[in-house]
Amino acid sequence: MPTIFTRILEGEIPARFVYTDSACAAFLDVRPLARGHCLVVPRKEVDQWTDLSAGEAAHLTEVAHAIGNVQMRLLSPTRIGLMIAGFEVPHAHVHVVPLDSMANLDFALADASPDPEDLDWLRTRIAEGLEAAGHEGAAT
């Protein structure tokens, strides 16, 4: 049975994509830990990130790094957090989260109903920022 991320990547479930390429895609989290929270997900359905090859894991990190740079310029958080936990969905994924404190990493505090217009605005601005920085996979 495909994971929810596979279903998103295959277009079965809508998402606000900011980046796509042949190896992975990045989209805004629908239950963000903080405003602008993105997920970077490999197209290859693997449960744990350690099951990815070193090259595949490095690519996810490179994409997350590019997104984090855009988030920093766009949202001016104190830091950009990067987290790989893997308990919520059995499909490897990287959380890229604008942070003002460690509390921003508490899944119990995730926003269950973020403003759809703000998510659309963020999607557009992050994708534009990636494109402006020369990332060909920007989903503009």
Side-chain angles (χ1 to χ4, degrees):
M1 176 179 212
T3 69
I4 190 166
F5 290 155
T6 297
R7 294 173 64 205
I8 289 169
L9 295 170
E10 291 177 353
E12 184 180 331
I13 297 173
R16 289 174 174 88
F17 289 94
V18 299
Y19 178 91
T20 61
D21 68 23
S22 62
C24 72
F27 46 89
L28 287 165
D29 196 311
V30 295
R31 290 183 46 90
L33 297 176
R35 187 169 178 251
H37 175 182
C38 289
L39 300 172
V40 182
V41 181
R43 293 188 182 279
K44 180 179 180 180
E45 188 175 299
V46 298
D47 183 10
Q48 298 188 44
W49 74 274
T50 52
D51 293 332
L52 295 167
S53 72
E56 291 166 325
H59 181 65
L60 295 182
T61 304
E62 289 171 10
V63 172
H65 185 264
I67 291 168
N69 281 320
V70 173
Q71 290 169 325
M72 184 60 83
R73 286 191 303 276
L74 180 65
L75 301 170
S76 301
T78 304
R79 297 196 180 278
I80 299 296
L82 193 66
M83 178 172 47
I84 302 172
F87 289 101
E88 335 64 63
V89 177
H91 188 144
H93 57 287
V94 178
H95 295 267
V96 188
V97 187
L99 302 174
D100 289 317
S101 77
M102 286 297 291
N104 293 126
L105 294 176
D106 184 348
F107 283 98
L109 301 176
D111 185 351
S113 55
D115 179 359
E117 288 181 16
D118 188 50
L119 291 174
D120 290 340
W121 184 88
L122 287 162
R123 192 221 66 80
T124 299
R125 298 292 95 68
I126 293 170
E128 288 174 347
L130 290 168
E131 183 177 52
H135 299 284
E136 294 182 17
T140 56

